[in-house]
Amino acid sequence: MNLAVSKKVLKIVNDQNALSVIDSIVDDWLCRFNAALHQTSSSTGETPAGFVDLFHDNSFWRDALALSWQLQTVTGATNILNSLPAAAAKAGSGAITLDPQATAPRLVTRAGSDAIEAFFTFTTHAAHCRGILRLNADEKHPDHYRAWTFFTAIDALIGFEEKTDRNRPTGQSYSRDFRGPNWLDKRLAAASYENHGPAVLVVGGGQAGLAIAARLTQLGIDTLIVDKNNRIGDNWRNRYHALILHNQLHVNHLPYMPFPPTWPTYIPKDMLALWFESYAAAMELNFWTQCEVTKASYDDKTERWQVALRTADGGIRHMSPRHVIMATGVSGIPNLPKIDSLSAFQGPAVHSSQYHDGEDWSGKHAIVIGCGNSGHDISQDLYSSGAKVTMIQRSPSLVVNIEPSAQFPYKLYDEDRGTDECDFITTSMPTPLVKQAHRHFTKAARKTDKALLDGLENVGFKLDFGDDDTGWQFKYLTRGGGYYFNVGCSDLLAEGKIDLVQFDQIDQFTDHGMVMKDGRKIDADIVIMATGYKPQEYLVSKLFGDEIAARIGPIWGFGDGMELRNMYCQTGQPGLWFIAGSFAQCRIYSKYLALQIKALEEGIIQPQQP
């Protein structure tokens, strides 16, 4: 069956016949792959001829630790053939077989191309693994199918499986000994660290910190989260009054505990903050609030960190974990750009992280510098509270209506699949194809939002649509912001209810506002700088020193290997890890980060040398 006409064929042939054809195509490819794999394992290291016809010239192999112990993407048949067989042989990969627990092989459209998609499982010397294969026909030989994408991912370490489901703890250690410590006694002792220290210290207790701590705890690794806020969830609770999540509930679950089915599609910040507290308690996470890392250094001889913590009582506690995970996100140290004349302004000039409630400025004049999500939300909150608002645009921004356009990338999650399978499909796609898909989403969003975008341009708002028109998600993945999900502020701008000026139109700030180059004066009682946050390298330098920061290099954004730089994997500094991103990213990649740490702890792999 030629995939060029596959969808038409499926409409006119018996469903069972169509599925039989698909199954035959997948079975044929798996047989050829396994035969070639067997030849590799018993050969002298040369790539068997059987591998040559398995992959398209323009194909992709993405590996999430299964065969290489790295997050990596290899592009092109030649490069795949030069690396995959050897990696599989070294890992001791067994034959790959269809995954009976996953969706059966079927036709799909991914990144604008039709393909047969099949889920498979296999084992290596160290791990249970799974993957996704996507096949389409050879243009020159329509009856011959080659792999377009091939994804291999670790699922569990053999002998160290998570303590979940049938492998869950029995509770007998405290339920059968009536004179011994009960569950609460043990939890309090574990979290106090009076007589022991954690193997892993997680810095930051937002979704990233909670996700990785939950994963590590299920693997039996002693983990402590420290966060400078007063309560768990304050990283959301303390933000501006009107904040709600801009992504829908079904893509925002944390590991192991999905949100209740009664919850709203868009979660209010305080509701989420309370959930964070409940999650930490239910997942038995050790969490110290009002605790901050003051300094840290790495001892190469002991392979441990020496960390000083300022605790809630003002004292200093010293710990020696083997691993430190920075889970402070892409929103760490506020970015306060140097604006020469701003010091002349006599009113408060605060960063968006310090802004709380528009009601405090009812009837006043406010200037908001910045046109990302925070800048728009704060401007709308101020306007709704009765303030006169002027927004300053420093550079072009991407705007997309929150519905339906911003949700286009998440259509997969609307299908009748579990979150785990949707996550796995999302993770399996290599970056070049994800970019291709997002160009399509961006094009569709521009068409859907045309009336709004035209209205914004009419009032002088400068638009962009991401690097190479890849849209809002790649803006987030490369710079952590620069876009806005419209929940009403763009309409207020287009209607002239919130004023807009360009930064280069400003002559100077004054004690009571600012003067424009055309002579206009704009009064202000407050200036709010919604100017984002500094790259994580700044926080690394502050806590660990410039030498370690230089050793690690850039964090976040894409490197040459088409993976996020220094995220979820070993870095140039042994024992230092990073996790950040959306709820979905943290849910997905916390698993891979935790499994790497467990493999290091058990001696399955060795630390990566700087």
Side-chain angles (χ1 to χ4, degrees), residues 233-350:
D234 272 355
N235 60 316
W236 288 96
R237 186 182 291 110
N238 291 342
R239 298 179 71 181
Y240 51 89
H241 185 73
L243 178 65
I244 62 171
L245 267 66
H246 285 175
N247 295 329
Q248 293 185 355
L249 168 140
H250 58 276
V251 297
N252 287 336
H253 301 297
L254 289 169
Y256 311 113
M257 282 180 61
F259 296 121
T262 58
W263 273 35
T265 301
Y266 297 100
I267 306 174
K269 69 179 183 71
D270 297 288
M271 197 175 192
L272 183 65
L274 289 170
W275 181 258
F276 277 15
E277 286 186 313
S278 302
Y279 184 86
M283 296 305 301
E284 302 180 88
L285 306 183
N286 300 328
F287 199 127
W288 287 6
T289 55
Q290 302 180 64
C291 184
E292 193 169 3
V293 177
T294 59
K295 63 179 179 178
S297 60
Y298 189 74
D299 188 326
D300 291 312
K301 292 182 179 179
T302 63
E303 296 183 339
R304 286 181 175 270
W305 290 93
Q306 303 302 318
V307 182
L309 300 167
R310 181 178 291 110
T311 57
D313 60 5
I316 298 296
R317 179 77 179 268
H318 295 276
M319 289 187 169
S320 303
R322 288 186 289 277
H323 308 273
V324 173
I325 301 175
M326 298 299 294
T328 52
V330 295
S331 302
I333 299 175
N335 179 44
L336 296 171
K338 181 175 175 55
I339 302 174
D340 291 335
S341 60
L342 186 58
S343 59
F345 180 64
Q346 296 300 301
V350 300

Side-chain angles (χ1 to χ4, degrees), residues 161-178:
E161 291 80 4
E162 290 183 340
K163 302 298 183 181
T164 59
D165 298 325
R166 294 184 179 180
N167 196 35
R168 71 176 72 237
T170 64
Q172 290 182 359
S173 61
Y174 44 76
S175 64
R176 297 292 186 267
D177 185 356
F178 289 89

